[in-house]
Amino acid sequence: MSLKKIRKQLAILLLLSVNLTVCAHEGMWMLGRLNKQTTQSMKELGLKLPADKLYHPNKATLKDAVVSFGGFCSGVVVSTDGLVFTNHHCGFGAIQQHSTVQKDYLKDGFVARSKEEELPNPELYVRFLIRTEDVTQRVLGSVSPNMSEADRRSVIDSVMLAIQEEVHTKDSSVVGVVDAYYGGNEFWLSVYRDFNDVRLVFSPPSFIGKFGWDTDNWMWPRHTGDFSVFRIYADKNNQPADYSPDNVPYKPQYVAPISTQGYQEGSFCMTLGYPGSTERYLSSFGVQEMVEGMNQAMIDVRGVKQAIWKREMNKRQDIRIKYASKYDESTNYWKNSIGTNKAIKDLKVLEKKREMESSLKQWIQQAPGADSLSIQLLSTLELNYKNRKQTNRAMAYLGESFMNGPELVQLALEILNFDFEAEEKVVVSKIKDIMEKYANLDLDIDKEVFTAMLREYPQHVDSVYLPEMYNTIAKEYGGDYKVYVDSLYARSEITSPRGLQRFFERDTTYNLMDDPAISLGIDLIVKYFEMNQSINEASQNIEKGERLYNAAIRRMYADRNFYPDANSTMRLSFGTVKGYSPMDGVDYSYYTTAKGILEKARTHHPDPDFALGANLISLLKEQNYGKYADEKGEMKVCFISDNDITGGSSGSAMFNAKGELLGLAFDGNWEAMSGDILFEPKLQRCVGVDIRYILFVIDKYANASNLIQELQPSLK
């Protein structure tokens, strides 16, 4: 090989290594496959625990104190009687369900002074990880290279299902779930045990648990006491059981010890939880599609819907309570999309991806034995994304405008997908879920939302993507969206549970499928299906191309320590407590104090997002923090680390080097909202609420001495 060619290849390798190097603090690592390189990095940062104290399939370890909370958040067990700490926003839905105008637990908080006062939540569960197992060989053993992508997916799905059923058949108390990793190049089995009796124990008032509300969401500095407390119940044999007054507090295998010693900048910190999803290995074409499609659709459409909700929530207390949880969830992802698109632009994420892909393409072309498929990988991906661009974008707007827009449409779709042949327990649960949606629905608000969605959708898509109802509105209602919506709601029986009741009672005068809302749901499904089918070939090619792209990167760097994208399975991330500088002349400290709560309340007065209760103001002014103060006598409220987290990590335990609980992760920071796509070590931070502030609120504010006594054995 000529010297010139060697130099060229070395230059390419150097550029790739710059773009693909994994920072020591980057990564959401699988506990079941921690290698020496990862554990060594953790030890160098200060970890005192051996790896087998973090995870072991047959012994109680730190992972046995961490739970998936409801399938959408994380939590940590902190007492021998099954107390679980999670975020306030994770428990928000449960708190809202128990709230009324007379007993407004969202606004005023909730304290169970005894176990008898704890509130059941039939739809809530927690999940413990028992073990993980690599099943890649078995799953891919039935796949052949010449299979179509659809056939490949079908075969893989059937093998995954078989593995899951085998687990449950062997032990009916556990659940087996097989997940794809590395773009579908690896498959791992996770075995879980679920507990379905989870009761609300403590919730701070919203001026603590939601202090700053939407204004501060995704921001630093932060002063939010984002925590709530639940308890796991089991049967008398300590096994999972549905809610029963006879159930007893669960006796966990492992209880997370709690540290009141705090941290310093540079202190080791690790999180354990269930992060939702990241796209670190997604091509630049996929990132661009995300920015212009789903993210932009969420920004445009949810902004309209939320404005209507918020206006009405501000007018009436009953509406504020009914809409609190769904508004909170909707705005969280809406603001996330705004921040993500902004960060992708500001941090030049697409440019960095494209630069790497250009170098990768050169490397592939010069790799020995490279075939035409490999050489054309990136150009083929680009072409297929281009082929589905407009339709995929329209599907995003259709989903946000209607499938996730008016609640009447959501109810119609849920009823259409209802499995009446499922086991009785599942049917009862789904009916309760639907009834809860009816209880939190205001028809006048929903009609206004529907009318607004009908106006909004055509502004973003070509007329070819308009559902049939637009022709109906034009021909039968003179193009008047409001008149159409009023007529639809007046004629439909499913605007209340009455239609379902008539269906269940087999009322011969009522055909559910003829209900206009159900018919509309069917029309929307048909339209969505037609759009999806029109890009089916491109989508299958993209799925295959992204998998091959992922595999090519890993094959090229076989000695590199790659972590898989988050996929709602348990992960560990590690780093240090650390401040950051988001821009020239601005340096953010690694913690905030109670002093900042009072400062923000004064600065933002009379903004209700920062309004405080008189009793908290008095308590903070006294500065009587007792044993919860730091070495300076201050009360730390929140802190940040450079741990790698994402959505679903909310409620994750933040541990020190000894595996003691420092706090709960609850947010990321605005400047690095593109972190799900590209980790930004200088900017990306995990925001956590300090465990000492949590204990202070429980003890000094709420005077819940029963909980403090229960936690006493865990305090270090």
Side-chain angles (χ1 to χ4, degrees):
M1 184 183 294
S2 68
L3 182 60
K4 183 178 179 181
K5 192 169 185 179
I6 291 173
R7 284 175 176 169
K8 186 176 181 181
Q9 289 202 348
L10 285 173
I12 292 171
L13 284 170
L14 179 61
L15 182 57
L16 281 169
S17 66
V18 168
N19 282 303
L20 289 173
T21 296
V22 174
C23 171
H25 307 176
E26 176 183 351
M28 301 176 201
W29 304 92
M30 297 168 62
L31 283 171
R33 61 174 298 174
L34 288 177
N35 56 29
K36 290 182 179 180
Q37 188 175 342
T38 306
T39 54
Q40 182 60 34
S41 295
M42 295 172 73
K43 288 178 181 178
E44 289 172 359
L45 286 176
L47 178 66
K48 305 298 183 186
L49 292 177
D52 63 357
K53 295 295 184 182
L54 299 174
Y55 168 87
H56 196 288
N58 301 315
K59 297 178 183 178
T61 57
L62 196 59
K63 63 94 173 167
D64 295 302
V66 175
V67 298
S68 170
F69 187 85
F72 50 82
C73 273
S74 304
V76 58
V77 180
V78 291
S79 88
T80 55
D81 272 350
L83 275 186
V84 172
F85 282 175
T86 188
N87 289 156
H88 181 268
H89 76 263
C90 294
F92 203 74
I95 300 164
Q96 182 255 331
Q97 287 179 14
H98 293 295
S99 296
T100 63
V101 173
Q102 294 74 30
K103 294 182 178 180
D104 192 346
Y105 298 140
L106 285 175
K107 179 182 177 183
D108 302 324
F110 171 79
V111 185
R113 303 290 176 184
S114 67
K115 293 182 176 66
E116 289 71 27
E117 294 181 5
E118 295 171 1
L119 302 176
N121 306 279
E123 306 306 314
L124 194 57
Y125 73 96
V126 297
R127 167 168 284 182
F128 288 90
L129 175 67
I130 300 172
R131 64 181 176 86
T132 59
E133 178 186 342
D134 186 353
V135 294
T136 304
Q137 190 171 357
R138 180 175 174 186
V139 172
L140 296 183
S142 301
V143 173
S144 60
N146 59 347
M147 278 184 174
S148 68
E149 199 63 19
D151 289 343
R152 183 183 190 276
R153 191 186 310 122
S154 178
V155 168
I156 286 175
D157 287 347
S158 65
V159 177
M160 291 168 67
L161 182 61
I163 295 172
Q164 292 171 176
E165 289 177 345
E166 288 170 9
V167 171
H168 188 68
T169 301
K170 189 175 181 180
D171 182 351
S172 61
S173 71
V174 301
V175 177
V177 180
V178 179
D179 296 288
Y181 295 77
Y182 299 108
N185 290 296
E186 285 189 18
F187 294 85
W188 283 69
L189 165 69
S190 297
V191 180
Y192 302 103
R193 182 166 282 116
D194 295 347
F195 287 80
N196 300 317
D197 189 351
V198 182
R199 306 182 194 181
L200 177 63
V201 177
F202 183 94
S203 169
S206 58
F207 57 76
I208 293 175
K210 293 288 289 183
F211 183 71
W213 290 82
D214 293 340
T215 307
D216 263 10
N217 192 18
W218 302 107
M219 297 295 180
W220 182 259
R222 201 69 177 274
H223 298 82
T224 310
D226 197 345
F227 78 96
S228 56
V229 185
F230 290 77
R231 191 186 306 279
I232 308 167
Y233 279 77
D235 66 18
K236 293 179 181 179
N237 296 316
N238 208 39
Q239 294 299 305
D242 292 334
Y243 169 78
S244 167
D246 297 328
N247 286 346
V248 295
Y250 171 65
K251 301 298 180 183
Q253 284 187 280
Y254 193 99
V255 175
I258 298 172
S259 171
T260 56
Q261 301 306 304
Y263 40 79
Q264 299 296 327
E265 187 155 29
S267 295
F268 178 84
C269 183
M270 62 182 173
T271 62
L272 269 180
Y274 288 81
S277 63
T278 55
E279 298 287 355
R280 298 275 170 81
Y281 303 107
L282 187 65
S283 68
S284 64
F285 319 114
V287 174
Q288 185 165 2
E289 180 182 79
M290 182 192 305
V291 167
E292 298 173 352
M294 183 54 69
N295 285 6
Q296 195 59 49
M298 206 175 290
I299 293 167
D300 293 335
V301 177
R302 291 195 183 191
V304 174
K305 176 178 68 176
Q306 289 160 188
I308 296 170
W309 284 358
K310 186 65 171 176
R311 184 195 69 216
E312 298 304 315
M313 289 168 70
N314 289 340
K315 288 181 181 178
R316 291 167 47 189
Q317 292 300 313
D318 61 325
I319 296 300
R320 177 181 59 79
I321 293 171
K322 281 183 177 183
Y323 279 70
S325 181
K326 53 196 174 190
Y327 178 82
D328 186 65
E329 180 181 356
S330 180
T331 56
N332 188 47
Y333 287 100
W334 169 74
K335 191 170 182 179
N336 180 288
S337 295
I338 295 171
T340 298
N341 277 11
K342 182 179 186 302
I344 287 172
K345 180 181 179 181
D346 292 349
L347 300 177
K348 301 186 183 303
V349 171
L350 278 170
E351 289 85 346
K352 292 174 183 176
K353 285 270 186 180
R354 288 165 181 157
E355 182 180 10
M356 188 277 289
E357 287 165 0
S358 176
S359 301
L360 177 61
K361 184 176 181 180
Q362 293 180 51
W363 192 94
I364 290 173
Q365 289 173 341
Q366 297 182 28
D371 56 22
S372 59
L373 181 63
S374 299
I375 293 171
Q376 296 172 14
L377 175 61
L378 289 166
S379 58
T380 302
L381 257 179
E382 181 178 20
L383 176 63
N384 282 294
Y385 272 109
K386 183 179 179 180
N387 286 343
R388 80 173 189 184
K389 179 179 179 180
Q390 294 302 324
T391 302
N392 183 268
R393 183 175 177 277
M395 288 171 65
Y397 276 93
L398 183 70
E400 278 297 317
S401 299
F402 301 114
M403 276 72 167
N404 193 38
E407 291 176 84
L408 180 64
V409 175
Q410 294 179 48
L411 282 164
L413 296 176
E414 195 159 347
I415 292 168
L416 281 168
N417 288 317
F418 198 101
D419 184 3
F420 294 97
E421 304 302 320
E423 59 180 278
E424 183 180 356
K425 176 183 173 181
V426 175
V427 171
V428 170
S429 175
K430 291 298 294 181
I431 290 175
K432 285 182 178 178
D433 183 54
I434 291 175
M435 296 306 292
E436 183 69 27
K437 286 182 170 61
Y438 276 117
N440 293 317
L441 171 64
D442 182 283
L443 290 178
D444 288 334
I445 294 174
D446 202 49
K447 286 194 287 186
E448 185 175 354
V449 168
F450 203 155
T451 304
M453 295 297 97
L454 285 167
R455 292 194 185 100
E456 187 71 18
Y457 180 66
Q459 296 181 34
H460 302 285
V461 302
D462 189 271
S463 60
V464 70
Y465 299 118
L466 297 182
E468 181 58 34
M469 63 180 165
Y470 279 92
N471 287 329
T472 301
I473 294 169
K475 294 177 181 177
E476 300 180 20
Y477 296 90
D480 192 318
Y481 295 140
K482 186 178 184 305
V483 173
Y484 166 75
V485 170
D486 287 341
S487 173
L488 175 67
Y489 281 66
R491 291 181 293 118
S492 175
E493 289 283 344
I494 67 163
T495 52
S496 75
R498 184 187 175 196
L500 269 184
Q501 182 181 353
R502 291 179 67 185
F503 177 77
F504 284 132
E505 292 175 351
R506 303 194 183 281
D507 183 344
T508 56
T509 65
Y510 175 63
N511 185 342
L512 183 68
M513 293 301 144
D514 289 339
D515 188 283
I518 295 293
S519 297
L520 172 60
I522 294 172
D523 288 343
L524 289 171
I525 291 173
V526 169
K527 186 64 179 179
Y528 194 89
F529 178 78
E530 288 175 351
M531 292 163 70
N532 192 48
Q533 282 297 105
S534 71
I535 58 172
N536 183 56
E537 183 178 355
S539 296
Q540 288 193 29
N541 290 338
I542 287 169
E543 184 177 337
K544 180 178 181 179
E546 291 286 1
R547 184 178 71 253
L548 295 176
Y549 173 64
N550 190 302
I553 294 174
R554 291 179 68 209
R555 188 166 56 249
M556 192 184 324
Y557 295 99
D559 59 341
R560 186 68 52 82
N561 193 18
F562 281 98
Y563 61 90
D565 270 314
N567 61 355
S568 296
T569 56
M570 183 182 280
R571 300 298 178 88
L572 176 148
S573 67
F574 61 92
T576 59
V577 175
K578 192 174 185 179
Y580 70 106
S581 177
M583 63 189 76
D584 183 49
V586 177
D587 290 301
Y588 284 146
S589 174
Y590 62 96
Y591 68 91
T592 59
T593 69
K595 178 183 177 183
I597 299 174
L598 297 174
E599 289 175 346
K600 276 188 176 177
R602 287 193 299 267
T603 301
H604 291 274
H605 181 77
D607 187 341
D609 284 5
F610 295 91
L612 293 175
N615 45 357
L616 181 64
I617 294 174
S618 177
L619 194 59
L620 295 181
K621 284 184 176 180
E622 289 175 8
Q623 297 184 26
N624 181 19
Y625 305 130
K627 59 186 176 182
Y628 306 118
D630 65 10
E631 65 280 359
K632 297 178 182 178
E634 295 180 328
M635 166 57 61
K636 285 189 170 69
V637 176
C638 296
F639 67 107
I640 52 176
S641 70
D642 56 5
N643 291 170
D644 194 356
I645 64 164
T646 185
S649 295
S650 293
S652 290
M654 300 179 74
F655 293 111
N656 64 16
K658 298 178 182 178
E660 298 166 343
L661 190 64
L662 294 174
L664 301 175
F666 71 91
D667 214 349
N669 60 316
W670 185 253
E671 298 86 358
M673 294 295 288
S674 57
D676 283 357
I677 299 163
L678 193 66
F679 188 79
E680 298 287 348
K682 292 183 179 180
L683 289 177
Q684 198 156 331
R685 295 295 180 266
C686 164
V687 182
V689 55
D690 194 303
I691 194 65
R692 291 168 293 183
Y693 185 57
I694 292 173
L695 297 174
F696 169 78
V697 172
I698 293 173
D699 189 358
K700 300 291 186 178
Y701 173 81
N703 297 311
S705 57
N706 57 313
L707 297 181
I708 295 299
Q709 290 171 10
E710 183 176 339
L711 293 169
Q712 201 65 42
S714 300
L715 299 179
K716 303 296 181 182

